[in-house]
Amino acid sequence: MFAAARTWTEPIVAGAQIASALYDTGLLMVVKDHCNMTNSSSLQNNSENSEEEQQKRISNFYMIYNLVLGLTPLLSAFLIARLGDKKNKKITICGPLVGYLVSRSLLLFVIMLNWPIEVMFGAAALNGLTGGFSTYWAGVMALASKGSSEQRRAVRLSTIELTYGVSGFIGSMASGHLFVKVTIYKHSGSVLAILSTVLYAFCVFYSLIVLKVPQETNEPILHAQDPPRGRVNPNLQHENKAPNNFLRNSQSERTPLLHGREENTLASVNTEPVENVVAVDKAIIFLLFAAAILYDLAVAGGVDVLPMFLIKEPLKWGPEEIGYGNATGYVLFVTSFLGVYIFSKYLRESTMIMIGMLSFSGGMLIMAFVQWTFMYYIARLVMLFALIPLPVIRSVISKQIQGSSYASYIIEGFEQKLTSILAQQSENRSQEPKKTRITTEAFVMQLLVWN
């Protein structure tokens, strides 16, 4: 039992995500305080201009920070992935975690020693050069897929997403209170930085010492009540091995392979060339990646613009309210997991993906016209199933691509980073002319993208 528990990545995901939630709130409030101090010395007489200047400075900081954080992994992620495939598959998890530990501990020096806030640009570069989130999440998903059967893979990956969401919820709920009520020598945010660093250190220790790479699981998709399979001609089975693998992977997770179906399937496939089957397989993979790119482009822009929206009029939230708002975002991981767990028993994968997309679009439409706090929470309520599509798409891709290589997860991580950067840059441009319409234009843009 203990040996099996050592293959679980949930403790790493939980610790790293609580640390990330604490760090994100701390960084946002530290940047805001830094901009307040800068503006107070230059714009003392005009409060309206001071607020606009503060908003511009915060927006510019996050634009550069996210740009560096998103582009630097392009230089190192494939190298780390190759090392993981050749040496030890834990490298794709341990390397990025070490980068998180070192880079995010720099926030503590910015707070305690009054270092310039621009130091965090170097921290973002260091984080990216060690693989960043793309490599880390690819390693987590690859290990989870390797240790799970095809029948339960969608639920397994959604369990990882659930752990991610619950941990982020806990960290976000605690972060606002810790920022306001607990300080060290009147340095706001120092406790958040210290706790974040300690949790990342725990994750590095766990990944190096405790975590064990699971054995490959290649269980056929069978139910307990299914009768034994009939015998298949060994020669025929050998000749049609590739088509049979494709058809088996193409089965729905809930479709039992009943007695006699395999013989009929092989007989019908025997006259078809193998090349056509491979072409269809590549087409499916291409369409899956295209769907993930378009959906993530819509999601990333809306998520990235939220911090700017929460700290300005009409909401103008403080640290505690921002913590609560971030926590509602992580609740979506829990509700989306429950959606996948329940819907997978009755619905096709394509139907689940459409439900998630409709949930996201409805919530963003309401978010575009938020003027009061209760409307924000109504929009979050409509988005309960918004995170269903991506884990389901990952599950389908993992069934189409054989083997335990991290290539598919690395590519998906890259497309998520690149689409996030593109969405954020376009929205930052749209914010400049009319500050008061930042949210409506940005959120409606996301609806147009995925539609």
Side-chain angles (χ1 to χ4, degrees), residues 3 10 92 152 185 194 206 208 227 235 242 266 292 309 360 380 418 431 441 447:
E10 280 84 349
T92 55
R152 303 295 298 172
Y185 299 113
I194 292 173
Y206 188 95
L208 289 174
N235 297 328
L266 288 173
F309 168 51
F360 168 76
R380 284 300 198 185
L418 292 176
Q431 293 170 20
E441 294 178 357
L447 299 179

Side-chain angles (χ1 to χ4, degrees), residues 240 243-244 247 264-273 277:
N240 295 279
N244 183 39
L247 290 172
N264 295 334
T265 301
L266 288 173
S268 62
V269 174
N270 190 33
T271 57
E272 298 180 3
V277 176

Side-chain angles (χ1 to χ4, degrees), residues 383-446:
M383 298 171 67
L384 287 179
F385 302 123
L387 301 180
I388 286 180
L390 289 180
V392 175
I393 291 174
R394 290 192 195 105
S395 173
V396 178
I397 291 176
S398 69
K399 296 175 186 178
Q400 298 295 328
I401 299 179
Q402 300 298 321
S404 60
S405 174
Y406 298 124
S408 63
Y409 296 99
I410 289 289
I411 293 173
E412 185 187 358
F414 277 159
E415 59 85 4
Q416 290 181 3
K417 279 293 183 182
L418 292 176
T419 52
S420 175
I421 292 170
L422 291 175
Q424 188 184 43
Q425 297 306 311
S426 63
E427 281 149 13
N428 285 332
R429 293 286 181 256
S430 67
Q431 293 170 20
E432 294 297 330
K434 300 178 181 179
K435 297 283 183 180
T436 58
R437 301 185 61 184
I438 169 179
T439 55
T440 301
E441 294 178 357
F443 293 143
V444 170
M445 186 183 301
Q446 311 316 311

Side-chain angles (χ1 to χ4, degrees), residues 246 250 279-289 396-397 400:
F246 169 76
S250 300
V280 173
D281 190 38
K282 291 181 178 179
I284 292 175
I285 294 173
F286 173 78
L287 291 175
L288 289 171
F289 273 115
V396 178
I397 291 176
Q400 298 295 328

Side-chain angles (χ1 to χ4, degrees), residues 355-371:
I355 289 175
M357 291 183 173
L358 290 174
S359 176
F360 168 76
S361 63
M364 276 298 170
L365 183 61
I366 298 174
M367 193 75 74
F369 302 98
V370 166
Q371 296 293 322

